[in-house]
Amino acid sequence: MGEQEAIGEAVARTVRALRAGHGWSLDELAGRAGVSKGVLVGLEQGRGNPNLGTLIRISDALGVPLTRLVQVEQEPPVRLFPPDRHVVLWEGPSGGKGTLLAGSDPRPSLELWHWELRPGETRESDAHVPGTKEIVYVEEGTLTLGVDGRTDLVQAGTAAVFVGDRPHSYGNTGSRDVRFVLAVLDL
């Protein structure tokens, strides 16, 4: 079985189990997640290739971190995430990328990301579940951090803590690449 098939089966199994655990019908989960019933049927049958936004909406509706949906094996006391387990979940128009390095489960959950933004790239993010906090540490360049209408420039070597339960964005308005590490605490 290929990696994509294994992930598809893991997502199908996890969504079915969590939906059943909540006692929700397909219609109820679709309504809570803001996705069509057809998308959920395909997902629960291991068919299709849902995009990142769809998976995030479903994980938020189910009250679990994104990493829980794509987790293939049972969770041991220590989980290692070697480079071949890192998942690029966002690709910018100029070659930037957002890579999910690791995540904990269940809630409160913590996700660890590595981001690279090329000049001119911006990643817009919808508000996460209430209480979500994020921490960013800029390794290289200057990050333009937008949170709920406010914009801050975060220089290399600087960290920032902000609320993730409001619309926010990560941008590169400079002329050199921006690299940063992001932690998301999802309560």
Side-chain angles (χ1 to χ4, degrees):
M1 174 183 325
E3 179 181 353
Q4 290 300 325
E5 289 174 309
I7 291 171
E9 286 185 16
V11 169
R13 179 178 57 249
T14 303
V15 169
R16 275 193 313 268
L18 291 171
R19 182 176 60 78
H22 285 292
W24 295 343
S25 67
L26 283 166
D27 288 323
E28 187 166 0
L29 177 55
R32 289 174 180 262
V35 301
S36 73
K37 181 178 177 181
V39 166
L40 283 177
V41 168
L43 190 90
E44 287 194 6
Q45 292 177 351
R47 293 183 288 121
N49 188 16
N51 65 36
L52 175 59
T54 298
L55 290 174
I56 289 171
R57 286 192 298 279
I58 292 170
S59 68
D60 285 349
L62 290 169
V64 298
L66 174 63
T67 52
R68 172 83 184 270
L69 294 186
V70 298
Q71 178 181 325
V72 175
E73 64 276 335
Q74 297 291 357
E75 186 171 353
V78 174
R79 290 184 4 193
L80 299 178
F81 293 84
D84 65 343
R85 293 270 320 271
H86 301 171
V87 181
V88 175
L89 292 174
W90 179 83
E91 292 184 21
S94 298
K97 58 186 172 181
T99 306
L100 179 61
L101 302 175
S104 67
D105 183 40
R107 278 198 169 124
S109 66
L110 183 62
E111 295 174 354
L112 183 64
W113 292 77
H114 188 266
W115 286 84
E116 299 174 23
L117 297 177
R118 304 287 185 249
E121 290 184 328
T122 298
R123 163 64 168 124
E124 300 282 342
S125 180
D126 292 329
H128 300 301
V129 296
T132 298
K133 302 283 189 231
E134 298 193 23
I135 300 175
V136 63
Y137 173 76
V138 179
E139 299 173 308
E140 180 182 323
T142 300
L143 175 66
T144 301
L145 178 63
V147 180
D148 202 22
R150 173 187 168 141
T151 301
D152 289 278
L153 298 178
V154 186
Q155 304 288 328
T158 303
V161 177
F162 60 98
V163 293
D165 59 2
R166 298 181 191 155
H168 52 284
S169 63
Y170 321 103
N172 181 353
T173 57
S175 59
R176 22 182 301 222
D177 290 352
V178 173
R179 288 184 173 74
F180 61 99
V181 176
L182 176 72
V184 180
L185 176 61
D186 205 357
L187 299 176

